[in-house]
Amino acid sequence: MRSITILGATGSIGGSTLDVVARHPDRFRVHALTAHRRIDELARLCVAHRPRFAVVPDAQAGDTLRTHLAAADCPTVVLQGASALDVVAADPEVDVVMAAIVGAAGLAPSIAAARAGKQILLANKEALVSAGPLFVRVCQEGGASVLPIDSEHNAVFQCLTPMPSGQGLPGVPNGVSRILLTASGGPFRQRSMADMADVTPQQACAHPNWSMGRKISVDSATLMNKGLELIEAHFLFGIPAERLDVVVHPQSIIHSLVEYEDGSMLAQLGNPDMRVPIAHALGFPERIASGVERLDLARIGQLHFEAPDPVRFPCLRLAFDALGAGSAAPCVLNAANEIAVDAFLHERLAFTNIATVNDLVLQSLGAEPPPAGIDEVFALDERARTLARRHLLRYAA
Ligand code: NDP
């Protein structure tokens, strides 16, 4: 029986994780669930899964949740404040931490889990993007292991031979020549730049294949998600930028590929449902049921591929450049992008100006030295956010 904390339980990944966990009551016990704004949903999850702890951001949310839980006779203990996230991530009783808070807010509890030597199921790519070298170092020092949840990185993990041990970070074995991440191309894959200028948040969040949170859905539409994933792959697998590549595969059936020196390419296939990589990581090294429908290859018939277009999707190019720069650029890009995407979701910035804001902030701060410690990461992240907000004033819709 393994004890699991789910950071970001009310989100899309959190919900899929609880779905898989509930299929295996003999394997997992839910230790803690956390939420930010959706307190009613957290109350529902506590009643259903009976965690020992629930974490909310402040006293007001704490009072609301306690009232809900008392009415349902649920014994879950409510903790409040950002530091409580670190507590439930590092609790000695916890074996596994699902890191599924969106954005840089997920960094501190992921670092706390790493310091405490937990098995981290890493969905929160932004943590690795803003603080890659630091996160890797803390995992090594704390004896933590990291299993990737992002479907692409989980696919790469599954295509590595010999199979990684599951200890530490995965790395890549000798003989791997290239990692090829697949991208669906998002909802605007075939649109011209001009046609993308006035798309709405609703259109951008309507991903053709995946059901995801709003921030990652917009990132998928700009291809920034693929850019962040390139940076994530670099740190997870310890592979240089020139051996990472992207191919557009609109059906999202192949989740990524690994190319070997002998010319072989291994791919992982599955229906686009995050419960597949989540079940893979939860069960590793065993295989456990995910509840996902089987792939019907005869019905799919054909698989399509095309090259990504860095002109219509400049965010992908910005991320490639940020990775190659080997400096503070990934942290700066991630922070600027969070501000720009939030402004777009609130209809204060045009879709095509997300890349403009990101580019301007990168030009100003991208060449700074990489942050050495967590405080430096947060300071740089804040400077990039402030600058992005200033640029928003100029480009505000
Ligand atoms: P959602 O927006 O659906 O969920 C985000 C979760 O984080 C929610 O539980 C939310 O709480 C919580 N949260 C938001 N802000 C804060 C904060 N400041 N402090 C603490 N908690 C916070 O996102 P997803 O589940 O889609 O994505 C989660 C992560 O997983 C992201 O990093 C994303 O890139 C990554 N990922 C997601 C995939 C997917 O298919 N969804 C695929 C691969 C990676 P509340 O809802 O209560 O406000």
Side-chain angles (χ1 to χ4, degrees), residues 14 26 41 67 78-79 89 99 132 151 177 197 210 230 263 290 358 371 388 393:
D26 51 325
E41 172 64 3
T67 307
V78 178
L79 308 176
S151 58
S177 54
W210 295 97
L230 283 169
S290 65
N358 290 344
L393 297 176

Side-chain angles (χ1 to χ4, degrees), residues 5-11 32-36 42 53-56 84-85 88 101:
T5 281
I6 302 177
L7 303 169
T10 43
L33 300 177
T34 85
H36 192 56
L42 180 60
F53 297 105
V55 179
V56 293
L85 294 172
V88 295
I101 289 176

Side-chain angles (χ1 to χ4, degrees), residues 157-384:
F157 186 98
Q158 294 196 46
C159 293
L160 294 176
T161 60
M163 187 172 72
S165 67
Q167 302 301 312
L169 278 96
V172 284
N174 287 338
V176 169
S177 54
R178 199 165 56 117
I179 285 178
L180 195 52
L181 301 182
T182 50
S184 70
F188 308 136
R189 180 173 62 91
Q190 290 171 314
R191 289 209 188 201
S192 68
M193 276 292 244
D195 278 350
M196 280 189 270
D198 57 1
V199 297
T200 65
Q202 202 187 355
Q203 289 170 316
C205 289
H207 196 280
N209 307 329
W210 295 97
S211 160
M212 307 183 285
R214 283 165 69 76
K215 193 263 178 179
I216 185 176
S217 295
V218 177
D219 285 345
S220 295
T222 59
L223 289 204
M224 176 55 89
N225 184 48
K226 210 48 54 186
L228 298 179
E229 287 176 4
L230 283 169
I231 300 171
E232 182 185 7
H234 165 72
F235 289 117
L236 263 182
F237 298 108
I239 191 162
E242 58 276 15
R243 287 165 58 201
L244 288 166
D245 221 336
V246 173
V247 65
V248 174
H249 166 49
Q251 293 140 305
S252 301
I253 296 295
I254 292 184
H255 298 299
S256 277
L257 307 97
V258 177
E259 182 190 79
Y260 288 84
E261 293 294 348
D262 60 9
S264 295
M265 252 192 188
L266 300 190
Q268 186 261 350
L269 286 72
N271 272 318
D273 186 321
M274 287 307 293
R275 290 176 298 170
V276 175
I278 289 169
H280 171 264
L282 281 170
F284 186 83
E286 291 173 42
R287 297 279 178 171
I288 62 173
S290 65
V292 175
E293 196 190 331
R294 307 281 137 167
L295 204 53
D296 182 345
L297 288 175
R299 186 164 56 82
I300 293 164
Q302 290 184 328
L303 296 174
H304 300 281
F305 304 95
E306 62 196 46
D309 180 349
V311 177
R312 282 185 305 127
F313 296 98
C315 284
L316 183 61
R317 181 181 46 76
L318 291 178
F320 254 121
D321 291 350
L323 178 55
S327 60
C331 175
V332 167
L333 178 61
N334 180 64
N337 184 59
E338 283 192 27
I339 295 297
V341 169
D342 187 66
F344 167 69
L345 283 171
H346 289 91
E347 303 190 28
R348 288 189 284 113
L349 186 72
F351 180 79
T352 40
N353 278 335
I354 295 174
T356 312
V357 169
N358 290 344
D359 196 5
L360 287 168
V361 178
L362 261 184
Q363 282 177 34
S364 302
L365 295 178
E368 300 257 325
I374 184 102
D375 292 342
E376 287 92 334
V377 171
F378 286 130
L380 183 65
D381 177 279
E382 196 44 52
R383 282 173 65 203

